[in-house]
Amino acid sequence: MNASTSLQVAILAFDDVEALDFAGPYEVFTTATRVLARTEPTRAPLFSVHCVARHRTPVRARAGLQILPDQDFAFCPAADVLIVPGGVVDAALACPETLAWIRQVSATAKITASVCTGAFLLAASGVLTHGRATTHWEDVTDLRQRHPELDVVDSVRWVDDGGPVTSAGISAGIDMCLHLVEQLAKPALAERTARQMDFAWTRN
């Protein structure tokens, strides 16, 4: 950790995104930043978290919750961590701008990760091309059929084999992001973040 700079976290938002796929990672990274600031008040915030969408107009998440992005594809700062949530991803899969942005940001990010059906977006963008991956249990068979080049596994909360990190459905994204805090900062901070969130962190 460099105490003088913040790690930039970009979380993609799109219509029909699963609300917790988006909000869970947002909560983990912002809570970790707040918790660390209690013991290291003079350092820069650990994470600077951005909600990024194709345009800076409200995004309607699955079930109707509206999200107001604070960055768009054209003006998003370079990301150290890219989080691609899931949900109903059909429209996002059919959007060349979305796939191109994922590919572009992932090329320079330290970590690219997906939650739930976000794995389909990583695969379609050419970021997730081989190795083990996971997704929501309902979509494991579909991911295997669409992308036979992947070793799609189930019964795990997340997969981190050194390439793109993928998680199972919805709440598993919180588990995965706590794991990322553990990797990027300290195990103790991840534990304190889970405790602050009153969340029973499930490891693989």
Side-chain angles (χ1 to χ4, degrees):
M1 291 186 298
N2 186 332
S4 64
T5 59
S6 301
L7 291 167
Q8 302 296 314
V9 179
I11 306 179
L12 176 64
F14 51 87
D15 285 333
D16 288 323
V17 66
E18 186 74 47
L20 192 58
D21 284 12
F22 171 88
Y26 196 98
E27 186 72 14
V28 170
F29 291 116
T30 56
T31 299
T33 299
R34 189 169 72 248
V35 167
L36 184 63
R38 293 174 182 170
T39 55
E40 300 184 27
T42 61
R43 66 153 291 143
L46 177 58
F47 297 109
S48 177
V49 187
H50 306 281
C51 169
V52 187
R54 189 155 58 104
H55 303 295
R56 290 184 63 181
T57 52
V59 169
R60 185 173 293 276
R62 197 174 187 182
L65 178 70
Q66 289 198 45
I67 300 169
L68 184 62
D70 50 24
Q71 302 287 348
D72 60 22
F73 290 171
F75 296 101
C76 175
D80 297 295
V81 180
L82 170 62
I83 303 293
V84 178
V88 181
V89 296
D90 295 354
L93 283 171
C95 176
E97 294 92 342
T98 297
L99 298 181
W101 181 80
I102 292 171
R103 189 163 51 249
Q104 174 188 340
V105 176
S106 177
T108 57
K110 291 182 175 69
I111 293 174
T112 297
S114 66
V115 182
C116 193
T117 53
F120 288 83
L121 292 169
L122 292 189
S125 65
V127 171
L128 181 62
T129 59
H130 63 280
R132 295 198 316 148
T134 195
T135 188
H136 191 283
W137 61 267
E138 276 190 324
D139 301 287
V140 163
T141 299
D142 191 20
L143 187 60
R144 284 177 179 147
Q145 290 174 344
R146 292 195 194 192
H147 296 283
E149 70 278 12
L150 301 177
D151 177 14
V152 181
V153 297
D154 54 14
S155 301
V156 295
R157 298 298 279 173
W158 72 84
V159 172
D160 183 359
D161 288 342
V165 184
T166 57
S167 84
I170 311 178
S171 66
I174 298 175
D175 290 323
M176 177 189 71
C177 287
L178 287 166
H179 163 71
L180 297 181
V181 171
E182 183 177 49
Q183 296 298 307
L184 291 164
K186 298 175 181 177
L189 179 60
E191 295 280 2
R192 288 163 56 203
T193 300
R195 179 169 174 76
Q196 179 65 36
M197 293 173 62
D198 232 341
F199 183 74
W201 182 13
T202 303
R203 291 179 171 86
N204 281 335

